[in-house]
Structures are given as structure tokens and as C-alpha cells.
Amino acid sequence: MGKNFFDIRILLLIAAAVFIFIQVRLFATQSGYAERLAAAVESENQCTAQMRLLIDQISMQQGKIVALEEANKLKDEESAQLKTLLRDFKAKSVQNLIGESEVPVAAVVIMACNRPDYLDRTVKSILKYQRSVATKFPVFISQDGTNQDVKSKAMSYNEITYMQHLDYEPVQTERPGELIAYYKIARHYKWALDELFSNYNFSRVIILEDDMEIAPDFFDYFEATAALLDKDKSIMAVSSWNDNGQKQFVHDSQALHRSDFFPGLGWMLTKSVWDELSPKWPKAYPSMSC
């Protein structure tokens, strides 16, 4: 009996030890869960605080966006007003050049880019014969780009109005082999003609390139042919260039030929023709390699 009592005590001690061990582990587990729960609550509180901060920041940004939109709207209105004032100023400047009562035959625009020496030679050739008919043929230089030598040269002529075409839009060619330069030239021509016909309100414009020299009868020729453009609406333009105009090929220096081939290189067109051409002006001259 003494042995059985001893065995029971051992079993009770073992059971007590196991119970204590389980209680310790349970307490440790509960403590771990409590810490995790506290951390989760803290994390949730931080997330809530950050969300409120983000909401406040978003509200501030939305307020700034609204303010910027209002500022842009105001700038657009101011820009429209400035464009109107600039158009009126340009018109008055040209009117001062040609006189109060004189109606010009045509504006003459020299298309330039980056060749100041060529431009100088062309301008000298034009002014040599234009001064006597300056009120009938006001001269403009339209520069494509920012070449400073060309700009300085163009602005050095008191008799000439300077225009600058700034085009920073990247060119995307439509067909393989096309030259980007053809797109830029097309854009420049369209811009310059829109300016002269729409903003300056000329009825006719003569287009010259910056590597040309004119003949002594250049302005007489265009003054005489201006009436043809007004009367015959089937004529698209009048050109002063003849590919076969050498002395050995010309039998009658006073003959005027009608052609279905556009010669270009010194040509005049009317506002009504440009109003038709401008909306469908090609993006580029089609290169021969396409």
C-alpha cells in the first residue's frame, strides 16, 4: 500500500507539472496574440491617419487644379485679346507702309530659313525695283525657324515686315523615304499664306524663295496680270518663271502663255483661291523616292 501511495504522489506531481507547463505556454501564446492584436490596432490607426492625410492632400491638389484651370482660362482670354491687338497692329503697320488711300496690288513674301547670304542678295534685287512701287507691293520676309543670322538680316531692312514661323511639333512622315524637310516647308508655306491673307487681309500674294533675283519688269508684270486672276476664276496662279525662258528659246518676249503645269518660283495667287486651297493643303511635297 505504501508503494501505491508513492506512485500516486508521483503521478500527481507529474500532472501538476504538466498543468503548470500548459498554463505557461497558454499564457505565452495569449501574450503573443495580445501583442499582435495591439500591433494590428496600431497599424490600422496609422493607415487611417495616412488615409486622412492623403484625402487632405487630394483635396488640396483638386483645389490647385481648379485654380490652374481658372488661371489657364484667364490666360486663354488674355491671349485671344493679345492676338486681336496684334492683328490690328499688323494691319495698321502695313497701312502705314502703303499709305492711307493706296490699295496694294499684292503683298510680296520672301520665304527664308537659314541662308542669310542668299536672302541678302534676293532682297537687294527686289528693293532695286520695288522702291518706286512700294505702296503697291509691300514686302515681307517669312522665316522658318530660329536662325539668328537670318533673323538679324531680315530685321535690318526698314522697308520690309518680318514674320517668324516657329514650329516645334515633331514631324511624323506618312510614307517610307519621305524627307522631313518637305513637311516643314509645307507647314511654313501654309502658315505664311494664312497670315498674309487672313491676318493682314491682302487680296493677292506673290511668293518668292530666298535664292531668286527678279527682272526689271517683275512688278509691272504682276500688276498687269492681277486683273486676269480677278476676271478668270479658272486661273489658279500667275507665275513669272519659265523653264524655257532663255533667249535662244524665246521668240516673243511679250507673249503670255497659259499652262496646265505649275511653274512656281515667283507666283501670285488670290485670297479666294487660297481660301479653297488652305483647308486641303498637303502635309508635305511628295518626294520622288516614295
Side-chain angles (χ1 to χ4, degrees), residues 175-188:
R175 291 172 290 274
E178 285 186 313
L179 299 177
I180 292 178
Y182 285 147
Y183 283 81
K184 290 187 173 294
I185 292 172
R187 290 179 183 179
H188 182 204

Side-chain angles (χ1 to χ4, degrees), residues 18-174:
V18 171
F19 177 78
I20 292 171
F21 176 77
I22 292 173
Q23 290 296 320
V24 171
R25 290 297 302 270
L26 182 61
F27 178 78
T29 302
Q30 289 176 343
S31 298
Y33 283 143
E35 290 176 357
R36 291 179 184 178
L37 181 60
V41 171
E42 180 65 20
S43 177
E44 183 180 0
N45 291 335
Q46 291 180 356
C47 288
T48 302
Q50 291 178 352
M51 184 176 297
R52 289 176 179 174
L53 180 61
L54 287 173
I55 290 173
D56 292 340
Q57 291 177 346
I58 290 172
S59 298
M60 292 176 60
Q61 293 297 328
Q62 287 177 337
K64 291 180 180 179
I65 291 172
V66 171
L68 287 173
E69 289 176 347
E70 291 295 329
N72 286 335
K73 183 178 179 181
L74 181 61
K75 286 183 179 180
D76 290 340
E77 293 175 354
E78 292 176 348
S79 177
Q81 293 175 355
L82 288 174
K83 286 180 179 179
T84 301
L85 290 174
L86 180 60
R87 184 175 64 249
D88 294 342
F89 175 76
K90 288 179 177 179
K92 290 179 180 178
S93 298
V94 173
Q95 194 62 45
N96 289 335
L97 286 174
I98 63 179
E100 293 296 330
S101 59
E102 187 78 37
V103 177
V105 175
V108 180
V109 58
I110 306 167
M111 309 298 287
C113 182
N114 56 7
R115 303 186 294 184
D117 50 342
Y118 280 67
L119 177 63
D120 184 58
R121 187 176 66 184
T122 297
V123 169
K124 288 179 179 177
S125 168
I126 293 172
L127 294 182
K128 181 179 179 180
Y129 306 110
Q130 184 260 359
R131 286 191 172 95
S132 60
V133 291
T135 57
K136 296 180 180 180
F137 296 93
V139 179
F140 293 75
I141 292 175
S142 181
Q143 179 189 0
D144 187 27
T146 59
N147 185 282
Q148 189 57 45
D149 292 335
V150 168
K151 183 174 182 178
S152 299
K153 177 63 66 176
M155 297 186 70
S156 67
Y157 305 108
N158 295 327
E159 311 94 325
I160 297 177
T161 302
Y162 172 73
M163 306 190 307
Q164 186 176 26
H165 176 235
L166 299 176
D167 182 10
Y168 300 110
E169 183 181 350
V171 174
Q172 297 291 335
T173 59
E174 296 182 346

